[in-house]
Amino acid sequence: MTRSDADLAELLDRDRLHVWHPYSPMPASSPPLSVVSASGVRLRLTDGRELIDGMASWWCAVHGYRHPALDAALRDQLDRMAHVMFGGLTHEPAVRLATRLVELAPAPLEHVFFSDSGSVSVEVAIKMSLQYWRAQGHPERRRLLTVRGGYHGDTFGAMAVCDPVGGMHAHFAGTLAEHVFADRPPDGFDARLDPAYAEHLAERVRSHAHELAAVIVEPIVQGAGGMHFYSPDVVRLLRDLCDRHDLLLILDEVATGFGRTGQLFACEHAGVAPDVMCVGKALTGGYLPLAATLCTPRIAHAISRDGGALMHGPTFMANPLACAVALRNIELLADGCWREDVARIERGLRDGLAPARRLRGVRDVRVLGAIGVIQLDGSVDVPRATLAATDLGVWLRPFRDLVYTMPPYVTCDEEVARIAAATVAAAAAGGGG
Ligand code: PLP
């Protein structure tokens, strides 16, 4: 055993002893891979291997790792201050970032509340809608309506609007707020609006409107709830139903925001604006934790009337390092060719994933923007699928019945082809085939 082999073994021993990994027992059932550095779209492992990152670090690192402009923005901010509290103080990175977000977001979203994770941005969105109705003299309007198959995060408010079967409701039975669920939208970005589904949604909204504060959904793509794509018509219908019944529409763009589906925000496919919008993940290009909840003046004014205030304030709210890198990240998007890149990746994934259709055990293959999904008939054997992908030099993290990729936008054609081949191989090894 070389010195570095021994170091790696010790690192993994300590990891096993002390470190709790996501959605895992303690210790984890299989050892994680140790990453020593990353640059471009590649992760370099402690054992010397290099993997193309097909996950963009859980869908965040849209410009890849160690991007010179993002590194420089962070260093520059570090020379001024790493952090300062946000109560009673403000700073240029937060103000400039909020201004830029408002410019990019659909009107009339004008006010920005910063937090440090997508889950908390959803908590804030829920608080905004509950406080809005309380301020309007309707404290009884405190339930939310959502569709099955959704995922909005792991904190309690967010978990309560995740899919009631596939989500974590069973683990926390009796402790989650009880919201109103409609069926999952029919599959297919290109699907026409199904009249029976439209009537179902309308009925759910109509019969609960008196107790509802808001409707909350992930527009167009339901991500961690199952990687389902659905029609912009459904988002338009939800906007229409909210208007007719005087409900707020919360669109959770934490996963879809900043170009992933081919539009800057997924709601642009539908041409509608929400009353409240959550963003996170790719906001900092995967550099630092930061999220934001945007809302309209109508909501902000109602909550703030007569000395009212939004009751939230995280310690690391609007962290200057995170805001500075987010601002630079957004400028890179605004000045760059993300739209062409996402369209190019979409074509590459369509071609590259097509052979999976011939595999036994494959239920569906679907691609939208820079998202490629192979859905199996049953659960993926994650260790076997992961090994098949890493053997081809690609990092993937399948879950449930899904082997999928959401690569950085800077992934070149040859790398997209390798990711697609590895995704097909992982699907074959992990269940299909
Ligand atoms: N909302 C959506 C749509 C998500 O996909 C996620 C994370 O996957 C979240 C919220 C939660 O974000 P975070 O993991 O940053 O708390």
Side-chain angles (χ1 to χ4, degrees):
M1 202 191 252
T2 66
R3 172 90 194 104
S4 60
D5 285 347
D7 287 349
L8 176 57
E10 194 198 336
L11 183 87
L12 293 179
D13 275 351
R14 287 182 188 277
D15 184 279
R16 195 179 149 72
L17 215 51
H18 299 302
V19 184
W20 211 322
H21 285 266
Y23 309 113
S24 296
M26 183 69 225
S29 38
S30 51
L33 300 178
S34 169
V35 181
V36 73
S37 66
S39 92
V41 301
R42 282 156 208 267
L43 308 176
R44 199 151 62 80
L45 304 187
T46 310
D47 63 16
R49 280 181 294 165
E50 224 179 47
L51 300 179
I52 300 173
D53 184 5
M55 304 304 296
S57 276
W58 268 340
W59 330 340
C60 301
V62 289
H63 302 296
Y65 302 93
R66 293 192 57 204
H67 191 290
L70 299 180
D71 285 9
L74 210 42
R75 286 204 187 92
D76 189 46
Q77 182 54 41
L78 196 53
D79 286 341
R80 294 159 212 267
M81 62 183 167
H83 184 63
V84 63
M85 66 184 279
F86 211 52
L89 300 177
T90 195
H91 47 78
E92 193 180 342
V95 176
R96 290 184 57 203
L97 176 60
T99 308
R100 200 73 187 99
L101 281 173
V102 168
E103 281 165 9
L104 293 174
L109 296 169
E110 276 183 27
H111 307 294
V112 181
F113 191 98
F114 289 114
S115 57
D116 33 29
S117 75
S119 302
V120 175
S121 76
V122 170
E123 299 289 334
V124 171
I126 295 172
K127 282 188 178 179
M128 278 178 181
S129 39
L130 268 54
Q131 282 199 245
Y132 170 81
W133 283 112
R134 185 166 279 273
Q136 302 287 70
H138 286 288
E140 76 285 1
R141 295 185 71 160
R142 56 174 183 266
R143 295 183 82 188
L144 301 171
L145 183 143
T146 187
V147 292
R148 290 175 185 272
Y151 176 82
H152 297 280
D154 290 351
T155 52
F156 274 79
M159 272 196 300
V161 283
C162 292
D163 183 83
V165 179
M168 290 176 269
H169 289 240
H171 296 275
F172 301 98
T175 59
L176 296 183
E178 289 185 10
H179 294 303
V180 179
F181 289 88
D183 291 347
R184 189 163 69 69
D187 281 321
F189 176 79
D190 296 317
R192 306 287 296 269
L193 185 61
D194 173 4
Y197 183 72
E199 179 44 35
H200 164 71
L201 265 189
E203 186 281 325
R204 294 305 278 165
V205 173
R206 209 167 37 235
S207 55
H208 290 277
H210 60 284
E211 55 176 347
L212 291 178
V215 170
I216 178 168
V217 293
E218 299 154 274
I220 308 298
V221 175
Q222 295 186 297
M227 296 291 161
H228 299 291
F229 307 154
Y230 67 90
S231 165
D233 285 350
V234 174
V235 182
R236 273 191 288 272
L237 174 63
L238 287 172
R239 174 73 275 177
D240 185 50
L241 290 169
C242 286
D243 290 342
R244 264 193 273 156
H245 294 277
D246 198 14
L247 300 175
L248 302 179
L249 177 63
I250 305 171
L251 292 183
D252 176 353
E253 294 257 11
V254 168
T256 49
F258 305 107
R260 183 56 69 181
T261 68
Q263 296 287 353
L264 191 61
F265 298 107
C267 61
E268 292 172 24
H269 289 288
V272 303
D275 303 291
V276 181
M277 184 167 97
C278 302
V279 293
K281 287 197 180 281
L283 174 57
T284 63
Y287 268 60
L288 284 171
L290 184 71
T293 311
L294 288 78
C295 76
T296 61
R298 167 188 164 205
I299 296 172
H301 293 163
I303 292 172
S304 312
R305 214 171 35 221
D306 303 329
L310 182 67
M311 296 314 290
H312 207 85
T315 303
F316 287 99
M317 182 168 181
N319 171 262
L321 288 172
C323 288
V325 78
L327 187 61
R328 193 70 190 93
N329 173 59
I330 289 178
E331 282 165 4
L332 280 181
L333 283 173
D335 300 343
C337 43
W338 68 267
R339 212 176 270 279
E340 292 77 12
D341 281 333
V342 169
R344 175 180 60 74
I345 292 170
E346 177 169 354
R347 286 192 297 276
L349 291 178
R350 278 190 202 285
D351 290 349
L353 296 184
R357 293 182 196 283
R358 294 193 293 273
L359 293 177
R360 225 168 356 102
V362 167
R363 169 173 301 192
D364 190 31
V365 178
R366 48 187 180 265
V367 175
L368 180 70
I371 309 172
V373 182
I374 302 175
Q375 184 177 5
L376 305 183
D377 283 332
S379 296
V380 182
D381 180 332
V382 174
R384 287 189 59 181
T386 307
L387 190 63
T390 54
D391 279 350
L392 293 176
V394 173
W395 170 242
L396 297 176
R397 183 70 176 161
F399 70 103
R400 291 192 351 204
D401 56 350
L402 301 162
V403 185
Y404 76 101
T405 175
M406 288 209 199
Y409 303 162
V410 292
T411 311
C412 74
D413 288 346
E414 188 259 325
E415 292 159 339
V416 172
R418 281 185 61 189
I419 290 174
T423 310
V424 175

